[in-house]
Structure formats: C-alpha cells, structure tokens
Amino acid sequence: MQASQKPQPSGGIHKLYRQPTAKVEQYYSPYHVVNNNSNDTSSPGTQLSYQTQNEQFFTLDSLPDADYVIYDSPPAVSVVSSNWSPFSPQCSNSYISDQHHSSDNTYGSPLSGCSVVDGGNELKNVLREMANNLLGPDSDIDEDSSCSFNGEVSKPSKWSRVVEIASSLDMKELLLACAEVVSDADFSAAEVLMNVLEQRVSVSGEPMQRLSAYMLEGLRARLFSSGSIIYKKLKCKEPTSSELISYMQVLYHIVPYYKFAYTSANVVIDEAMRNENKIHIIDFQIAQGSQWMFLMHNLARRPGGPPFVHITGVDDSQSAHARGGGLQLVGERLAKVAESYGVPFEFHAAAIAGSEVQLENLRIRHGEALTVNFPYVLHHMPDESVSTANHRDRLLRLVKSLSPKIVTLVEQESNTNTSAFFPRFRETMDYYTAMFESIDAARPRDDKQRISAEEHCLARDVVNIIACEGADRVERHELFGKWSMRLRMAGFTQCPLSPSVSEAINDVLKEFSPNYRLAESNGALYLGWKNRALATSSAWR
C-alpha cells in the first residue's frame, strides 16, 4: 500500500507526511515493527473512546476457507528459519506489578485493556480457573506440588485428566494447559499435549493456528532447555539481506506499526525543532534511515530554508545484516536524499549496540539542538532484572545528561519483562493474537509473502519470549506506565502531544482496516487492534 498521492491542502503539519515524494519511496526500506496481539478477554483497563475508519475490511469469518498445511514440527530445532523480528527485535518477560507503584503509573490500556499481570495470586487464580474449566469444579489440584523426575514417580500426574480430554480442548485452552505442563516439567503429559497441538497448527491457517505453531516451538524448546541454543541457531539460518528487507516491506505495507512510529515521532520532532537552525538527531535504531527521509522532505519546505541536519545512527550486527552492509550505506543514502532536497546534512555512524553506547560515541556539539529517538528499541536493553549494570536506566540517565530538546519513545504495549513464565506466556498469546489477526485482515491466508513475513519476522521473537530466560531473553517489553516511571526517575518530564500527531496517525490509518484504533491517555498516543493496545508513542524532555 503506497501513501496517498492526492493533493493535500496546506496548513496542517500532518499533511506533509502523507505524500512522500518518489525520491523518498525510492530509498525507503522499513526495518522494524511492533509485536502485537490480543483477544477480547485481556484484563480490564482504562476505557477510552477511540476512532475507527469507516471502510470495508476482511473479517476472519468473511475470508474464504483455505486448505492448510499441517505444521510438522520436528524435535526441538524445527523452529522456522526466522530472523530477528522487525516488530520487536528481541525477547520479553512479563512484568508483575510491584507493590510500590507510583500513583501516576497506569498499567491498563486505554483500548480496554492492555494485558496487565497483577502480582500476588494471579498465577494461582489462573490455575484454579483452569482446574475448574478443564478438570471440573471438584478437582483437587495441589498448586504448590511439582513432579519428581528422580527415577520414580511419587504420585500420579496432576495433569492426567487434562491429557485425557486434550482432544476436546480448544486451541487456547490447549496452549495454556501445555504451558502449565511444561512449567511443571511433566514430560509425559507435555508430549501428549504437544502431539495434539501439532495436528492443529498451520502456518497458513487462522491467526490462532499460525501463532500456535510458533508458540508450540517455544514450549518444546523450553521443555528441553534448548531455547537459547535454538535462538542462536536461527541466526545461522537467516535469509539473505534482500530477502529480509522484502519480508519487512511486506509488513510495512500491510500493518501500520512502522508508520505509527515514524509519523508520530517525525511530527513531534518537526514541531519541537521549528525555530532551530542546527539539529542533531540521535537515532538508537537507525535501520535503513528511512524515517529521516520523510523528515527531511518536510524540513526542506520550511520558510527561509531548511536547517542543518546532523544524524547519529546507532547500529548493531542484525541491522547491518538486514541492510546487506554497514552504516556507511545508510549515510550515503541519506546524503543523497538530503542533497536532492537542498538540506545541509552530516551523518555520523555509531557502530555499537544501543546498550553499550557511551557519551563519546555520540559526538555532541555545542549549538546543535538535540533530539533523541527511541523507536521500538529500549525494550532490548537489559534492566535491573538481568544485570546490575541496568543498561536500560543507565542509557536514559545518559540521554538526560545531554539536555535534549525532545526525546521520542515508541514501544510495544506489552507486559513481558519480569514476570514468571506462565503469566508471560499468557501475555504473549494475547499480544500476538492481536498481531496475527491484524495481519490476517490484510492478506489471504495462503499468501506466501505473508507466511514468509510471519516466519522470518515474528516467530523468533515468540520462541525467545517463551523459551529463554536471563540474558538470553532479549525481548523484554514493558507497559507505558513502567516506561513513564523509568523516564521520570531519570529526570525527564513528559511533553503533551499536539493534535497534529493524532491527525497525522489518523490520516495514515485510512489505508488500513477500521479495526485499528487510536486513543490518547496519560499524555501518550495508543495504537491498538480492536480492544488491545499494541504500541504507544510519547514525547519527553
């Protein structure tokens, strides 16, 4: 889907982002997107009104039936040869709410419930609910017991009844039961449930069938303690750079998560830098640099001429792989676009992982108004639950010390950083259900490009979230309430978003299903699918 080419009236800043020139489209290759999923049973949150688009769309029921291929999963290593996900480049652990949350911390979603994992008795409540639903109200499950694997079984498996009725469970019930069995390390019950799952999953089936294929692989990897091994082996099976960029472009065109990040941040930056003659942008996920092509297109139209633009691009090895080369390619591409628009330009390559960035890597100069961009990247930084170094908060403090004029943050609205395995599993299932449903609304189920994009850009994240722990789990999302708390503790103040930001996003969403919803809460803009919030955008200084 290309951006609208209809003439746009002047007067609204958001209009300028809706008609990128052919030059921008020529160079554009998106790099990352957000992981999303949900169902309508997610935990309750703040209710807000939202806006939808009045246009026809495919629903799951209206799509034609398609024969599907059963996803045959060989033993642990059979996870699709997927690459780092553009929606969320690494893995996540559910955040169980602390007992000392500040009052301004909102963990609920304005789209009726970004999934929230409450501390305390949540897991036991889930077990009790599963016991009632799966085993009957009279079942007596010892929630604190665990199976013994010392050569003898001290008592029958508490999952015997679940195994017996496995074939009658629906997909979500079966996945949840399988996750509990894996958590208990009950190998016999897990084998039975996984065999039932394998007969139902399909990479070309309904959204839940497709997601279940990858969640099954994550469960298998976790059961055999091979999550880290599988995750690393997948890097050896990465597609070529041209193939990977192609998969990402598919996602860019069929779901709005890239555009939500780029457009919202660009409008905020443009407004904040309106009176500045020298601008320094530090992008902690530079990727292809495409976001800044759109911004320069707008800066070139400034009355009196464009400002000088200095961009520092932070890189990592996976970004280089997707580009098919190092940061010099990004600099060359951006320089050509800047020259074509008459924008004075300089590029600095910071070839270092974001979590390792130090002041000397950033080339801060006196007289340049500084903006820092965090697009779906901060959740990759290990925090205090992973390392005493706590790079997540260290980086925020470093950025604050630079006195930036504006900082833009776009993150997945998911609760997967620090909670135990089972709540994290439920959150992952909810979040990615919404993501897979949103993709399903845009492409037929037998569409090969869609299948490849999901396999190469989403599956590895799912496996990492479910199967990995500690430093090996690199996808660690947090809800906006927790990000807000971290930023405030680092000394930042939140900046209200102007109406131009939501206007620009609403203009973008006209290209997509009306099931995408936009809401504003706590000073942030939320993008959701149906009633599940998937991403947030906010501004800080």
Side-chain angles (χ1 to χ4, degrees):
M1 298 180 186
Q2 299 295 328
S4 171
Q5 300 299 317
K6 294 185 296 182
Q8 301 287 352
S10 60
I13 187 173
H14 67 285
K15 299 294 183 182
L16 300 178
Y17 292 100
R18 294 292 303 129
Q19 51 171 3
T21 66
K23 296 171 185 173
V24 174
E25 291 294 343
Q26 174 185 358
Y27 291 108
Y28 184 69
S29 293
Y31 189 49
H32 41 281
V33 189
V34 268
N35 293 319
N36 313 304
N37 45 352
S38 91
N39 54 28
D40 292 335
T41 61
S42 54
S43 56
T46 307
Q47 300 290 329
L48 290 186
S49 60
Y50 44 76
Q51 303 176 36
T52 59
Q53 306 302 320
N54 296 319
E55 57 185 49
Q56 292 183 343
F57 63 99
F58 288 115
T59 64
L60 301 189
D61 294 333
S62 67
L63 284 171
D65 293 331
D67 293 332
Y68 60 83
V69 180
I70 293 299
Y71 184 81
D72 262 332
S73 326
V77 196
S78 69
V79 179
V80 280
S81 63
S82 55
N83 192 308
W84 170 83
S85 161
F87 277 95
S88 71
Q90 305 178 344
C91 203
S92 61
N93 197 12
S94 299
Y95 171 79
I96 296 184
S97 56
D98 296 329
Q99 300 301 315
H100 53 278
H101 288 325
S102 59
S103 59
D104 64 346
N105 242 358
T106 301
Y107 288 83
S109 160
L111 297 169
S112 105
C114 159
S115 214
V116 180
V117 180
D118 293 326
N121 295 322
E122 170 68 12
L123 185 54
K124 290 188 177 181
N125 290 336
V126 172
L127 283 169
R128 215 170 278 118
E129 178 185 344
M130 288 191 64
N132 290 333
N133 291 339
L134 304 181
L135 309 182
D138 298 327
S139 62
D140 182 19
I141 290 186
D142 178 8
E143 295 173 355
D144 297 321
S145 67
S146 59
C147 298
S148 173
F149 294 96
N150 296 323
E152 57 183 277
V153 180
S154 58
K155 56 184 177 180
S157 168
K158 68 182 182 182
W159 295 104
S160 299
R161 176 58 180 156
V162 175
V163 169
E164 291 176 11
I165 65 172
S167 59
S168 65
L169 302 178
D170 67 27
M171 191 75 84
K172 288 188 177 181
E173 291 172 335
L174 192 55
L175 276 172
L176 289 171
C178 195
E180 269 297 290
V181 169
V182 169
S183 183
D184 278 354
D186 189 329
F187 284 81
S188 318
E191 182 179 6
V192 174
L193 296 182
M194 287 180 179
N195 286 339
V196 175
L197 274 170
E198 283 180 353
Q199 301 308 309
R200 297 188 186 180
V201 300
S202 166
V203 295
S204 58
E206 297 176 354
M208 197 62 205
Q209 288 178 302
R210 306 198 309 258
L211 173 58
S212 296
Y214 309 129
M215 297 194 80
L216 172 59
E217 294 295 349
L219 286 171
R220 178 179 284 109
R222 184 178 186 88
L223 182 65
F224 293 101
S225 301
S226 58
S228 177
I229 296 173
I230 291 178
Y231 188 70
K232 291 173 181 176
K233 281 187 176 181
L234 288 173
K235 295 181 180 179
C236 301
K237 300 180 180 180
E238 290 175 339
T240 65
S241 58
S242 60
E243 289 172 340
L244 182 57
I245 289 175
S246 176
Y247 301 143
M248 294 173 181
Q249 286 174 329
V250 169
L251 292 175
Y252 171 78
H253 288 297
I254 67 178
V255 288
Y257 309 115
Y258 279 123
K259 294 182 180 180
F260 173 74
Y262 291 177
T263 303
S264 61
N266 279 358
V267 174
V268 168
I269 292 169
D270 196 318
E271 291 181 337
M273 299 292 177
R274 184 165 291 166
N275 299 317
E276 300 294 342
N277 294 321
K278 293 182 178 181
I279 298 173
H280 182 188
I281 299 170
I282 300 175
D283 188 351
F284 275 87
Q285 189 69 64
I286 188 67
Q288 299 291 323
S290 306
Q291 176 175 352
W292 311 120
M293 299 176 192
F294 288 93
L295 181 64
M296 285 191 287
H297 169 249
N298 192 52
L299 293 176
R301 300 184 175 203
R302 275 192 182 181
F308 168 78
V309 177
H310 171 202
I311 294 180
T312 293
V314 179
D315 188 31
D316 59 33
S317 59
Q318 291 181 345
S319 298
H321 170 79
R323 281 193 299 270
L327 275 174
Q328 73 277 3
L329 296 179
V330 177
E332 292 169 3
R333 189 179 297 114
L334 288 174
K336 290 179 182 178
V337 173
E339 183 180 7
S340 69
Y341 290 143
V343 176
F345 178 76
E346 181 181 336
F347 183 79
H348 167 55
I352 187 172
S355 62
E356 299 174 6
V357 167
Q358 302 291 338
L359 176 61
E360 55 268 25
N361 304 122
L362 300 177
R363 289 194 185 177
I364 304 300
R365 295 172 181 166
H366 179 71
E368 294 180 345
L370 180 65
T371 181
V372 178
N373 187 46
F374 288 118
Y376 304 128
V377 67
L378 269 182
H379 69 271
H380 301 144
M381 311 298 171
D383 70 349
E384 67 279 4
S385 68
V386 181
S387 166
T388 55
N390 190 2
H391 292 294
R392 188 170 297 196
D393 290 341
R394 179 195 67 80
L395 190 60
L396 288 176
R397 290 193 298 269
L398 171 62
V399 169
K400 177 58 181 174
S401 72
L402 305 178
S403 300
K405 188 161 188 181
I406 199 72
V407 173
T408 53
L409 173 69
V410 181
E411 274 295 344
Q412 285 111 291
E413 182 69 354
S414 185
N415 192 17
T416 58
N417 183 30
T418 59
S419 69
F421 165 67
F422 189 66
R424 184 168 81 240
F425 183 89
R426 291 186 67 194
E427 170 77 345
T428 301
M429 182 171 68
D430 286 346
Y431 187 77
Y432 280 91
T433 297
M435 169 60 71
F436 276 71
E437 285 181 358
S438 69
I439 295 173
D440 194 72
R443 286 289 179 97
R445 291 176 183 166
D446 60 352
D447 184 273
K448 293 182 179 179
Q449 286 186 328
R450 192 272 310 153
I451 293 172
S452 294
E454 288 178 350
E455 287 181 342
H456 292 285
C457 298
L458 297 178
R460 216 175 107 190
D461 281 358
V462 172
V463 171
N464 186 249
I465 293 170
I466 293 173
C468 299
E469 296 293 350
D472 289 326
R473 183 154 53 82
V474 290
E475 292 296 333
R476 292 178 170 271
H477 307 98
E478 293 182 321
L479 300 178
F480 177 72
K482 187 60 185 290
W483 288 119
S484 176
M485 183 172 68
R486 287 188 187 276
L487 284 155
R488 294 179 196 280
M489 289 178 64
F492 288 95
T493 300
Q494 190 171 0
C495 304
L497 300 177
S498 76
S500 296
V501 182
S502 58
E503 289 172 10
I505 300 302
N506 275 320
D507 208 20
V508 166
L509 293 181
K510 291 176 182 178
E511 299 178 5
F512 300 95
S513 165
N515 279 329
Y516 289 104
R517 298 173 177 180
L518 197 64
E520 197 162 353
S521 179
N522 303 309
L525 201 60
Y526 289 71
L527 175 64
W529 173 258
K530 297 182 180 178
N531 290 329
R532 170 73 200 221
L534 298 178
T536 63
S537 180
S538 59
W540 304 80
R541 66 164 52 97

